[in-house]
Amino acid sequence: MSTITVPAEVPPVSDDVEQLHKAFEGWGTNEGLIIEILAHRNADQRKLIRHTYAETYKEDLLKALEKELTSDFERIILLWTLDPPERDAFLANEATKKGAKSNHILAEIASTRSSQDLLLAKKAYHLRYQKSMEEDVAHTTTGDFRKLLWPLVTSYRYEGDEVDMSLAKTEAKLLHDKITEKCYNDDDFIRIITTRSKPQINATLNHYKNEFGQDINKDLKADPKDEFLAILRATIKGLTYPVKYFEKRLRLAIEKTGTDESALSRIVATRAEFDMKIIKEEYKKRSSVSLDQAIAKDTRGDYEDMLLALVGTTES
Amino acid sequence: MSTITVPAEVPPVSDDVEQLHKAFEGWGTNEGLIIEILAHRNADQRKLIRHTYAETYKEDLLKALEKELTSDFERIILLWTLDPPERDAFLANEATKKGAKSNHILAEIASTRSSQDLLLAKKAYHLRYQKSMEEDVAHTTTGDFRKLLWPLVTSYRYEGDEVDMSLAKTEAKLLHDKITEKCYNDDDFIRIITTRSKPQINATLNHYKNEFGQDINKDLKADPKDEFLAILRATIKGLTYPVKYFEKRLRLAIEKTGTDESALSRIVATRAEFDMKIIKEEYKKRSSVSLDQAIAKDTRGDYEDMLLALVGTTES
């Protein structure tokens, strides 16, 4: 379900590393060559490239890229080159530093990753920042946002398919009661969302819909301007329908006046090798154009080229 | 720092398994033989015995032991035979079922295990109970106890030695302010205790003592009958001085009228292969007798024999 293309015969890593080094030399930088190599290598291959580059030239490839590149193109290349767990650690750490306006990024990482991937991100966080993701999240968030995000990033959810239907019924009712009372920050409301397995939450929310008439996220739209409700809806969508979550985020990022490059780059870099193929299908269904056409219309230059290399172009 | 003794030449696992099976046969059970084998095998060897027993006799060794043994002896043998992560998962699950009076067991497991060992226990919990340790803890605990225990069991703390001294000062002051205000359940108070790395907490509490004149645990003794304060003190001791924590628990278990076999068995089974040697030294320092003498005085029969086989006897 990846949208990147890796050549049938990948050159030896020493060639890739040499070519990248050449791309940085002399006047100007050969951005095309950087895209040609990095966009068409999978996570393991990029990891090996980074490792071999450091051994060969005694410099971190990421530092070399930082020196050569600028702006949105620099950001997407750096995000892409990072190993997925380290990338999630980097994004989470950045979010904790940027304050409340980045809370949705923490919710996105914590809700859409598998338990195993979230755990790997936490391990990468330890290694890179000499502290834990959760201590930073708990330390830098406040109020209801902290009450939700702290257990959300800390959680190590069960990943099996077993579902307890009687529990689903009890907890669907509890969620509905709390929504009726407008107690969106209720302890048990947050407990259910942040600790239950995804299949269990799914069962609970299906029962909720059958029993109480509509999607929980519709009931959580009482006040469209309430930011806590918005992050609660995003979390629930990220947990139960990650593909739809990402499709909508991409759509909003592209439709925004001036384009939200930060969200666009983050989602393309984190999903290209995972579920971007289905996200694209969902995007096409939901919008009148394909994702790559929408990206091509909204971005330009090397940044556009890199994004398109990662999401793939549709034959028309 | 283990107190168990493993023979220089361990018999082939097939022999151990056959001997155990023989110990169950006929009239009565050969408890001595069970102790002779199981108490003198390390965790890896016991795991292999359990595996081979199941393959050979199509029965889980633990079920066979359950059928043959009773009472305190049964319990210590079962706890001991379990693989350490599975044992912690079992103890935590049992604690969530027993309600408030077992909260201190959750605090003990969460505060005294390393991040890695706690993570292994959570993985074992997934496998054994088809749900997560944290969802059960969050679901079954209430009020301030939930507020403390939920993040405590969920935490995946950083384990490096780096310490941020300026943070230690700020947070020592914050802890002191909250204690002065008697806000023991304050969000930030709990955040510091449940998310900071153990070396960081240690630095914070050292600063606390230097700056405010006495151990934080003395200041948390405002009301000796307050159970939340008791669990807070136990957690802090478990995080910073696990050996002293276990020594005190053992002492209280033995000194209690009638002996607290539940605590005695749990601590002997979980620490024998880890730090029981230093716990014993601490016990000897603190009491007038050695731990094994105290155990011999307070217990009897096969239960006594098994405990002494695990903690080792002192030459006098």
Side-chain angles (χ1 to χ4, degrees), chain A residues 152-275:
Chain A
L152 196 65
V153 301
T154 319
S155 225
Y156 181 60
R157 294 175 202 263
Y158 176 61
E159 297 216 289
D161 283 333
E162 300 86 349
V163 160
D164 180 336
M165 282 311 297
S166 103
L167 189 70
K169 285 179 189 176
T170 323
E171 297 197 332
K173 179 159 186 326
L174 194 151
L175 294 176
H176 188 256
D177 288 349
K178 295 304 163 189
I179 289 178
T180 310
E181 297 162 19
K182 296 188 191 295
C183 285
Y184 308 115
N185 68 351
D186 173 74
D187 284 6
D188 281 303
F189 195 107
I190 286 176
R191 172 184 61 75
I192 293 167
I193 301 299
T194 60
T195 69
R196 293 302 185 197
S197 76
K198 294 181 184 183
Q200 182 68 35
I201 291 179
N202 214 48
T204 301
L205 299 188
N206 280 333
H207 186 77
Y208 184 103
K209 194 176 175 178
N210 296 339
E211 192 71 16
F212 307 110
Q214 65 175 357
D215 266 348
I216 191 169
N217 269 2
K218 289 228 166 106
D219 288 337
L220 288 172
K221 256 189 182 152
D223 174 3
K225 284 195 176 157
D226 184 316
E227 287 186 19
F228 181 69
L229 285 184
I231 214 157
L232 212 46
R233 292 195 303 271
T235 300
I236 289 172
K237 202 158 191 174
L239 288 168
T240 51
Y241 293 101
V243 166
K244 288 190 179 181
Y245 167 87
F246 286 119
E247 184 280 328
K248 189 175 177 185
R249 277 266 164 224
L250 279 174
R251 191 151 38 83
L252 294 176
I254 292 171
E255 282 173 4
K256 198 182 164 192
T257 320
T259 313
D260 179 354
E261 286 88 2
S262 162
L264 182 56
S265 300
R266 181 181 78 248
I267 295 172
V268 168
T270 56
R271 309 320 296 176
E273 263 179 307
F274 287 86
D275 46 10

Side-chain angles (χ1 to χ4, degrees), chain A residues 90-106:
Chain A
F90 171 80
L91 288 167
N93 178 262
E94 197 181 50
T96 61
K97 286 182 188 156
K98 285 190 175 169
K101 69 178 189 295
S102 288
N103 280 341
H104 67 280
I105 297 174
L106 296 172

Side-chain angles (χ1 to χ4, degrees), chain A residues 81-96:
Chain A
T81 306
L82 281 167
D83 201 37
E86 199 183 356
R87 185 200 294 137
D88 280 347
F90 171 80
L91 288 167
N93 178 262
E94 197 181 50
T96 61

Side-chain angles (χ1 to χ4, degrees), chain B residues 157 171 174-175 188-196 201:
Chain B
R157 295 175 201 263
E171 297 197 333
L174 193 151
L175 293 175
D188 280 305
F189 195 107
I190 286 175
R191 172 183 62 74
I192 293 167
I193 302 300
T194 60
T195 70
R196 294 302 185 196
I201 291 179

